[in-house]
Amino acid sequence: MLGMVHPDNIVHDDVVAKAEVMSMIDAVDVQQQFTIDRSFGRREQLIDWVRNEASKLGFGIVILRSDNGNSRRKAFVVLNCERGVSYVQSNRVLKHEDTGSRKCGCPFKLRATRRVVDLWRLTVICGIHNHALDPKLHRHPMACRLSREEKIVISNLSIVKVAPRNILADLKRKKPDNVSNIKQVYNERHNLKVLKMGPRAEMQQLLKLLGDNKYVSSFRTSEDKVTVRDIFWTHPKSIKLFNTFPTVLIMDSTYKTNKYRLPLLEIVGVTSTDKTYSVGFAFLNSHRDMYARLYEN
């Protein structure tokens, strides 16, 4: 395969670079912590062990290259520090000019190979870091990654409408050394929603959910008969309450609260005991359509 470099070919270069790295002020040698006489039954088991040890020391691990092997070559995987390699400047114009990179060309590198007996062995190519290690990994993207078990917990708790902050608190209670933050929880919940939507567009998903939960809805399309111009929905229980207490209605519209820039109209009713209830909601093309849309419904 063109461009493929076997990990054995980079050992010499890293040994030569080791002396140069050790002369730096912030150089840290962690080779001893990864020099072990142990075999792993699975590739994932070895990677999990390496990442766990790296988290204890204060850095993250990423996969640099890997190969599943064939009849002429053994399977291998090369791991390096998350700050390894050098940052490649993008040709596109960045939204923020003051962006930076954490990559500093760290030479730390490990190699894992699968032997004939299907056991994985770990070899240290270079155990030197050219930067100081962090005592806490709260801002490290690799260390903050959620495990498969944690993603299952987020999925189960999201189904029962648990707030994201409470989900994060539950993850940290079960695993005190967890360094994930609220952003990872929100990202995973978003991924679950996208997976649940499947090939449907967001508006199609909204109409499906309204139908599944037996909401009363109505929508109008633009001249192209495809783009939804506005949509109104309400629950049957809200209709019953409105028929009972139709005297006082409070209407308010919020703007720029969604990516479609559609005003959200909320209609609230008041009962005889001064309690409020939701009558209905509507996404409108503009506030000018507000009253016209109300009279139609």
Side-chain angles (χ1 to χ4, degrees):
M1 182 181 298
L2 295 177
M4 177 62 69
V5 179
H6 196 277
D8 290 336
N9 297 334
I10 63 177
V11 175
H12 176 71
D13 295 336
D14 287 303
V15 172
V16 173
K18 181 176 180 179
E20 299 178 0
V21 176
M22 286 303 296
S23 62
M24 299 180 180
I25 299 177
D26 294 332
V28 181
D29 189 354
V30 295
Q31 179 173 346
Q32 188 64 31
Q33 285 80 352
F34 294 93
T35 304
I36 59 172
D37 185 16
R38 176 184 173 184
S39 299
F40 298 86
R42 294 183 300 110
R43 174 177 178 266
E44 293 75 15
Q45 183 182 3
L46 182 145
I47 295 176
D48 289 343
W49 181 87
V50 171
R51 284 178 172 168
N52 184 53
E53 293 298 317
S55 298
K56 295 178 182 179
L57 295 172
F59 67 98
I61 286 290
V62 296
I63 298 177
L64 180 63
R65 64 174 67 91
S66 64
D67 193 337
N68 293 327
N70 51 36
S71 58
R72 301 171 57 186
R73 180 165 51 194
K74 296 180 181 179
F76 71 88
V77 56
V78 178
L79 309 170
N80 71 332
C81 175
E82 63 180 352
R83 301 188 64 179
V85 196
S86 299
Y87 174 70
V88 179
Q89 184 66 37
S90 175
N91 292 328
R92 63 186 179 89
V93 179
L94 299 177
K95 186 175 182 180
H96 302 285
E97 296 182 355
D98 58 345
T99 57
S101 173
R102 301 181 67 252
K103 294 185 178 297
C104 61
C106 179
F108 179 85
K109 201 174 276 77
L110 305 174
R111 181 185 71 224
T113 55
R114 186 176 63 187
R115 304 301 175 88
V116 180
V117 292
D118 289 337
L119 294 178
W120 287 83
R121 299 281 296 183
L122 184 66
T123 304
V124 179
I125 298 178
C126 180
I128 307 299
H129 293 275
N130 63 353
H131 57 89
L133 304 183
D134 297 331
K136 296 183 180 181
L137 298 177
H138 292 84
R139 296 184 179 180
H140 288 240
M142 296 304 304
C144 291
R145 277 187 174 181
L146 298 168
S147 64
R148 187 179 296 103
E149 293 75 15
E150 291 170 337
K151 291 181 179 180
I152 294 175
V153 172
I154 295 177
S155 176
N156 294 336
L157 294 181
S158 298
I159 293 175
V160 294
K161 308 299 182 182
V162 178
R165 64 178 182 276
N166 295 332
I167 295 178
L168 181 62
D170 183 71
L171 294 177
K172 293 186 178 297
R173 179 183 60 83
K174 294 179 178 179
K175 189 178 179 182
D177 59 343
N178 183 294
V179 295
S180 300
N181 52 47
I182 195 68
K183 182 178 180 181
Q184 273 70 38
V185 177
Y186 278 115
N187 288 344
E188 181 59 23
R189 283 163 59 95
H190 173 73
N191 294 335
L192 292 173
K193 290 180 181 179
V194 172
L195 182 63
K196 188 176 181 180
M197 286 175 54
R200 292 185 295 273
E202 292 182 351
M203 186 57 66
Q204 293 174 326
Q205 178 70 3
L206 173 60
L207 295 174
K208 178 181 181 300
L209 293 177
L210 292 176
D212 293 344
N213 293 278
K214 300 180 179 179
Y215 277 76
V216 178
S217 63
S218 176
F219 65 91
R220 297 186 303 182
T221 58
S222 302
E223 296 178 355
D224 59 3
K225 304 299 181 180
V226 176
T227 306
V228 175
R229 180 181 176 184
D230 48 35
I231 179 172
F232 172 85
W233 70 92
T234 182
H235 196 271
K237 291 184 179 180
S238 298
I239 298 177
K240 292 181 180 180
L241 287 171
F242 174 69
N243 291 331
T244 306
F245 307 103
T247 306
V248 180
L249 288 179
I250 303 172
M251 294 175 288
D252 190 17
S253 182
T254 58
Y255 301 87
K256 299 181 180 180
T257 59
N258 53 83
K259 68 179 182 180
Y260 298 106
R261 300 289 180 175
L262 294 177
L264 173 63
L265 173 67
E266 182 178 4
I267 310 170
V268 178
V270 181
T271 67
S272 58
T273 57
D274 294 334
K275 301 293 184 179
T276 60
Y277 65 93
S278 296
V279 177
F281 302 88
F283 277 121
L284 304 174
N285 186 40
S286 67
H287 68 278
R288 297 178 182 178
D289 297 337
M290 181 185 302
Y291 295 104
R293 187 61 172 154
L294 286 176
Y295 289 131
E296 287 184 8
N297 291 276

